[in-house]
């Protein structure tokens, strides 16, 4: 009896195995890997999986008091600095790291030694670097002072006699510094010779603290070239002493205008603050007429600026400036001031004469569409720099005019949102500022004067050369590692187009805008990581987008959606779709009927979860004339010849 039961069990077990075996042979390989999560996106006390700061999120604060003197004859800066460093982290800190970026301009710097023989945009001068002296570091008011520090290339480790207490400790570090101002400052700062004097564009001009965060600890990647900056927020009080005939503009508010401006200039600034048209503060005929434009006729003047809750400050100084300004109208009803300073030889209405109008339009657009501009001024400086952004100040090429000047002005002021307000790590993730900024630039250009200067970023198929190069690299490639020929694509173009695809093709403006505005608001003056952005968009828009992050942001594959064929089916039509590319995308179809009517259909990305072919049933009682994928040509599909049915409709 028992042996009979065993035989029956064996037979049944074998039968079950055979069923599983047959079923396994019939299973078509799926595409789950395309839809799996990218990065570690789990919640932590510091960063919630909702894409917002966690309930224990922390970041440190850096307040600066700086006094510096610009000596024109020697082209030098000499200054003294006091840093108040607020330790909000859960760790006692025995040391901090600071950056001394002027050390990039030495023969032995890592940036110099990693620059190609033929040079590039980031070559820079060799001016000897920055000299630090009289350094004093105190972990608390009562601590013993320490002068111990180690300078390694562009980084400086500062030690304390005792640790800065966790959570609420406030340390002070003071020092003197001096250096020669480079003429070519890696296209980020430097000197421009003009007909009436030198324009000094000053950035990376003082030693500043590195960021300690919950992801990497101290962010201490050296300053090499392409990688930009990652900075903590704080309050700045800075004074710049210059020759009496100079005019200085800078980040933040000028707080001693009566000491450095004439009564006429103060009145003109007041008029500009109420005008939507540009008002001259110093007109072209007044340049170098010192008796009219300067309150003192010899010696020096000290310009005093303050700025709160900012990650940096920059300034420009020259005796060659024409200066004009106009009011910026903000959505809340508040106002701030757009300003431009430039040599009079580039002041025509085809060039810098329109700079303030461009600045005003740019800031007003971004304020109304994404997040209100927080700074008292927006100053555009005609510079030796091609284009570089700082809080409230932009350096743009003095040679730019027309569409080029609009483009660089709009782009650099767009950076006030990314990374000045949303403080991402530029040195590692340039796509989180350059790419997002390129994206918002597209819409500001459409809005300015009804598209006076068209922006063609959305025409993805006309930019295919950038995406299909055999030497392409991923958006996630670090800027100091990526080939310089690819940086424009990996940091700017491809992520910018990716954001447009999200808004216009994948999510739609309403869902995308809510999610993106929420991301900006939640991470304003904070330090988001890529995973925080991904989580914010997915939660805010209600869409799993792992397939898109993986394919577009973390891959180098192609998009190739195709219509294989169309045939009648039970009074309707079957449209056979294929994904011949390297990652999935939703399919947008324009359907045209013989009676001239047109419909647009959207087929979700989930059709590709189980394979690369899908039979889409088009339900209609009309006679079909043609079908086209992506009729608005938003996605950079590499093969337009298979996007239409009948195929003879294809036009190059």
């Amino acid at each position: 009896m028992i042996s009979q039961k065993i035989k029956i069990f064996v037979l049944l077990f074998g039968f079950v195995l055979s069923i599983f075996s047959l079923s396994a042979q019939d299973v078509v390989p799926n595409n789950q890997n395309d839809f799996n999560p990218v990065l570690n996106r789990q919640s932590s006390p510091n960063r919630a999986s909702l894409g917002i700061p966690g309930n224990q999120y922390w970041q440190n604060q850096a307040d600066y008091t700086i006094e510096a003197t610009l000596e024109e004859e020697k082209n030098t800066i000499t200054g003294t600095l006091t840093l108040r460093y607020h330790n909000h982290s859960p760790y006692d800190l025995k040391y901090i790291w600071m950056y001394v970026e002027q050390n990039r301009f030495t023969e032995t710097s890592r940036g110099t030694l990693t620059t190609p023989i033929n040079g590039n945009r980031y070559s820079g001068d060799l001016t000897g670097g920055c000299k630090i002296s009289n350094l004093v570091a105190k972990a608390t008011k009562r601590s013993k002072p320490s002068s111990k520090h180690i300078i390694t290339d562009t980084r400086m480790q500062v030690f304390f006699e005792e640790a800065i207490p966790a959570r609420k400790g406030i340390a002070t570090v003071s020092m003197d510094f001096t250096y020669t101002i480079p003429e070519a400052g890696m296209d980020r700062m430097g000197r421009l010779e003009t007909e009436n004097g030198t324009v000094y564009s000053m950035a990376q001009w003082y030693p500043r603290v590195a960021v300690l965060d919950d992801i990497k600890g101290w962010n201490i990647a050296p300053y090499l070239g392409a990688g930009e900056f990652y900075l903590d927020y704080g309050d700045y009080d800075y004074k710049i002493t210059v020759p009496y005939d100079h005019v200085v503009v800078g980040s933040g508010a000028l707080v001693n205008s009566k000491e450095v401006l004439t009564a006429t200039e103060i009145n003109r600034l007041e008029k500009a603050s109420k005008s939507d048209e540009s008002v001259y503060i110093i007109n072209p005929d007044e340049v170098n007429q010192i008796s009219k434009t300067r309150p003192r006729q010899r010696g020096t003047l000290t310009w005093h600026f303050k700025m709160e809750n900012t990650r940096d400050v920059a300034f420009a100084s020259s005796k060659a400036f024409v200066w004009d300004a106009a009011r910026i109208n903000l959505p809340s009803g508040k106002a701030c001031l757009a300003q431009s300073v430039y040599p009079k030889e580039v002041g025509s209405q085809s060039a810098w004469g329109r700079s303030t109008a461009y600045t005003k339009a740019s800031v007003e657009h971004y304020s109304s569409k994404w997040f209100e501009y927080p700074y008292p001024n927006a100053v555009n400086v005609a510079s030796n720099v091609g284009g570089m952004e700082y809080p409230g100040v932009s350096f743009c090429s003095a040679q730019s005019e027309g569409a080029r000047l609009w483009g660089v002005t709009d782009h650099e002021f767009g950076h006030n949102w990314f990374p000045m307000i949303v403080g991402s790590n530029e040195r590692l993730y340039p796509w989180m500022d350059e790419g997002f900024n390129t994206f918002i630039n597209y819409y500001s250009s459409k809005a300015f004067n009804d598209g006076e200067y068209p922006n063609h970023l959305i025409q993805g198929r006309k930019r295919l050369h950038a995406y299909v190069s055999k030497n392409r690299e991923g958006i996630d490639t670090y800027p100091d590692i990526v080939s310089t020929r690819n940086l424009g694509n990996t940091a700017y173009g491809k992520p910018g187009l990716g954001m447009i695809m999200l808004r216009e093709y994948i999510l739609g403006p309403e869902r995308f805008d809510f999610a993106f505005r929420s991301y900006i608001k939640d991470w304003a003056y904070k330090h988001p990581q890529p995973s925080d952005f991904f989580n914010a968009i997915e939660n805010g828009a209600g869409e799993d987008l792992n397939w898109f992050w993986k394919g577009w942001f973390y891959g180098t594959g192609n998009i190739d959606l195709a219509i294989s064929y169309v045939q009648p089916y039970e009074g309707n039509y079957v449209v056979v779709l294929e994904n011949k590319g390297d990652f999935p995308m939703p399919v947008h179809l324009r359907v045209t009927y013989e009676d001239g009517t047109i419909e647009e259909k959207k087929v979700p990305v989930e059709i590709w979860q189980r394979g690369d072919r899908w039979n889409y049933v088009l339900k209609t009682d009309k006679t079909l004339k043609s079908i086209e994928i992506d009729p608005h040509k938003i996605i950079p599909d590499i093969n337009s010849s298979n996007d239409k049915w009948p195929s003879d409709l294809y036009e190059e």
Side-chain angles (χ1 to χ4, degrees):
M1 191 71 173
I2 294 176
S3 62
Q4 182 67 20
K5 289 182 178 180
I6 291 174
K7 289 180 180 179
I8 294 172
F9 175 78
V10 170
L11 288 171
L12 287 172
F13 184 70
F15 178 68
V16 171
L17 284 178
S18 67
I19 291 176
F20 277 110
S21 177
L22 288 170
S23 299
Q25 292 174 8
D26 294 336
V27 171
V28 177
N30 61 51
N31 291 326
Q32 178 171 317
N33 185 59
D34 291 339
F35 293 85
N36 281 339
V38 60
L39 299 180
N40 179 5
R41 311 257 299 277
Q42 295 180 353
S43 187
S44 74
N46 298 322
R47 298 170 188 274
S49 55
L50 285 171
I52 61 176
N55 57 16
Q56 295 181 35
Y57 176 83
W58 60 267
Q59 66 186 47
N60 292 344
Q61 178 179 331
D63 301 333
Y64 296 85
T65 302
I66 311 172
E67 296 185 13
T69 298
L70 190 159
E71 190 168 342
E72 188 171 28
E73 290 184 0
K74 297 181 180 179
N75 291 320
T76 59
I77 285 283
T78 300
T80 182
L81 170 153
T82 298
L83 163 69
R84 284 171 53 85
Y85 188 68
H86 301 250
N87 181 19
H88 298 151
S89 80
Y91 314 110
D92 294 338
L93 301 177
K94 297 180 180 179
Y95 59 85
I96 64 172
W97 282 95
M98 300 185 72
Y99 278 102
V100 188
E101 281 123 340
Q102 289 298 317
N103 282 351
R104 168 61 176 77
F105 303 107
T106 67
E107 291 185 357
T108 58
S109 74
R110 295 190 186 187
T112 299
L113 296 175
T114 55
T115 299
I117 293 175
N118 294 329
N120 58 28
R121 176 184 176 185
Y122 310 109
S123 297
D125 291 346
L126 302 177
T127 53
C130 184
K131 306 298 186 294
I132 303 292
S133 60
N134 300 322
L135 187 145
V136 177
K138 296 181 67 175
T140 68
K141 288 183 178 180
R142 295 181 175 84
S143 298
K144 292 181 179 180
S146 168
S147 61
K148 183 180 179 181
H149 62 283
I150 301 173
I151 297 177
T152 306
D153 192 51
T154 56
R155 297 155 300 172
M156 176 169 65
Q157 190 174 20
V158 177
F159 298 89
F160 299 91
E161 289 292 335
E162 55 190 83
I164 310 171
R167 300 294 185 190
K168 57 182 179 181
I170 302 177
T172 59
V173 179
S174 61
M175 70 191 76
D176 298 332
F177 61 94
T178 186
Y179 56 88
T180 299
I181 302 167
E183 182 176 2
M186 294 173 59
D187 207 24
R188 297 206 171 99
M189 52 90 64
R191 311 192 315 259
L192 173 69
E193 300 302 326
T194 76
E195 293 178 5
N196 291 291
T198 303
V199 174
Y200 294 89
S201 300
M202 298 305 302
Q204 299 87 53
W205 61 278
Y206 59 94
R208 51 193 183 176
V209 71
V211 172
L212 174 70
D213 66 25
D214 59 301
I215 303 299
K216 289 179 66 68
W218 285 105
N219 287 262
I220 51 174
Y223 181 42
L224 300 178
E228 293 184 325
F229 310 106
Y230 184 34
L231 302 165
D232 273 325
Y233 293 89
D235 299 335
Y236 284 71
D237 185 322
Y238 67 105
K239 297 177 180 179
I240 308 299
T241 298
V242 296
Y244 71 95
D245 53 359
H246 275 224
V247 168
V248 180
V249 292
S251 300
L254 176 66
V255 297
N256 68 334
S257 58
K258 291 182 179 180
E259 297 174 18
V260 295
L261 300 178
T262 66
T264 298
E265 290 161 350
I266 292 173
N267 290 335
R268 290 172 177 176
L269 278 169
E270 178 65 21
K271 180 181 178 181
S273 71
K274 300 175 182 178
S275 172
D276 289 323
E277 302 296 327
S278 296
V279 174
Y280 281 122
I281 314 306
I282 297 176
N283 68 47
D285 293 334
E286 293 171 332
V287 173
N288 274 342
Q289 293 191 19
I290 307 305
S291 61
K292 291 184 178 181
T293 63
R294 302 289 74 235
R296 184 180 298 174
Q297 307 305 307
R298 63 180 184 274
T300 61
L301 284 171
T302 297
W303 298 64
H304 187 185
F305 296 87
K306 290 185 178 181
M307 194 173 195
E308 296 179 349
N309 198 24
T310 180
R311 60 175 239 156
D312 194 12
V313 291
F315 71 92
S317 181
S318 182
K319 62 183 179 183
F321 283 150
V322 175
W323 184 7
D324 64 44
R327 176 180 61 192
I328 294 173
N329 302 294
L330 300 174
S332 66
K334 297 179 181 179
C336 59
L337 201 62
Q339 304 178 52
S340 297
V341 289
Y342 47 90
K344 67 178 183 180
E345 57 264 33
V346 298
S348 72
Q349 284 300 300
S350 65
W352 278 82
R354 292 188 71 187
S355 166
T356 292
Y358 295 162
T359 301
K360 169 183 167 67
S362 180
V363 173
E364 287 180 347
H365 172 82
Y366 299 131
S367 293
S368 63
K369 193 166 186 64
W370 304 114
F371 186 92
E372 185 164 300
Y373 186 74
Y375 308 132
N377 297 294
V379 187
N380 204 13
V381 179
S383 173
N384 66 298
V385 178
M388 189 63 200
E389 70 280 357
Y390 301 98
V393 173
S394 294
F395 299 155
C396 296
S397 172
Q399 303 306 312
S400 292
E401 57 184 36
R404 189 177 171 193
L405 181 57
W406 158 258
V408 68
T409 299
D410 183 49
H411 182 80
E412 304 313 334
F413 279 103
H415 272 303
N416 282 279
W417 282 261
F418 311 100
M420 306 310 166
I421 295 172
V422 182
S424 59
N425 187 339
E426 297 179 274
R427 193 150 297 174
L428 298 183
Y429 312 115
W431 58 270
M432 294 183 72
D433 72 289
E434 299 293 358
F436 293 177
N437 190 24
T438 300
F439 161 70
I440 65 175
N441 296 159
Y442 169 75
Y443 297 98
S444 60
S445 290
K446 285 186 67 175
F448 181 66
N449 279 356
D450 296 321
E452 179 180 351
Y453 300 121
N455 183 311
H456 300 295
L457 179 64
I458 201 169
Q459 297 178 344
R461 299 190 188 207
K462 293 185 179 180
R463 297 168 54 90
L464 277 176
H465 64 280
Y467 307 117
V468 302
S469 163
K470 65 179 181 179
N471 296 316
R472 69 186 113 172
E473 297 170 271
I475 290 173
D476 58 323
T477 310
Y478 295 159
D480 285 319
I481 295 175
V482 71
S483 169
T484 53
R485 74 182 66 181
N486 288 335
L487 182 62
N489 184 41
T490 60
Y492 299 74
K494 190 178 180 185
L497 180 57
M499 296 289 282
I500 287 179
M501 288 193 288
L502 272 177
R503 186 178 193 266
E504 305 294 344
Y505 190 87
I506 297 170
L507 296 175
E510 187 175 15
R511 293 168 69 197
F512 176 89
D513 288 356
F514 172 78
F516 195 48
R517 288 173 185 147
S518 297
Y519 166 74
I520 297 170
K521 182 179 179 180
D522 290 335
W523 289 99
Y525 316 109
K526 297 181 176 67
H527 297 315
Q529 298 288 315
S531 57
D532 298 314
F533 168 69
F534 297 153
N535 283 335
I537 298 300
E538 288 192 5
N539 282 277
E543 194 76 32
D544 185 337
L545 296 165
N546 278 298
W547 55 272
F548 186 65
W549 310 134
K550 182 177 291 188
W552 190 256
F553 284 82
Y554 283 79
T556 58
N558 295 323
I559 298 173
D560 185 7
L561 301 176
I563 300 172
S564 293
Y565 58 91
V566 177
Q567 65 182 39
Y569 174 72
E570 296 183 355
N572 298 296
Y573 295 90
V574 169
V575 181
V576 181
L577 303 172
E578 283 194 78
N579 178 19
K580 297 185 175 183
D582 299 303
F583 62 94
M585 286 290 288
V587 183
H588 289 198
L589 300 172
R590 173 179 285 166
V591 181
T592 303
Y593 298 101
E594 289 290 353
D595 64 4
T597 58
I598 295 174
E599 291 182 319
E600 294 205 2
K601 304 288 187 179
K602 296 182 180 180
V603 187
V605 71
E606 286 82 5
I607 63 173
W608 309 122
Q609 287 179 334
R610 297 185 184 89
D612 296 326
R613 174 175 287 211
W614 185 257
N615 296 330
Y616 170 67
V617 178
L618 175 63
K619 295 182 178 181
T620 182
D621 56 3
K622 297 183 178 183
T623 302
L624 184 61
K625 181 179 181 180
S626 65
I627 304 178
E628 180 181 4
I629 292 175
D630 184 26
H632 304 291
K633 300 296 181 286
I634 295 172
I635 62 174
D637 190 302
I638 64 165
N639 186 3
S640 295
S641 66
N642 59 22
D643 291 349
K644 294 181 179 180
W645 178 90
S647 59
D648 57 8
L649 290 175
Y650 171 67
E651 296 179 3
E652 186 63 56

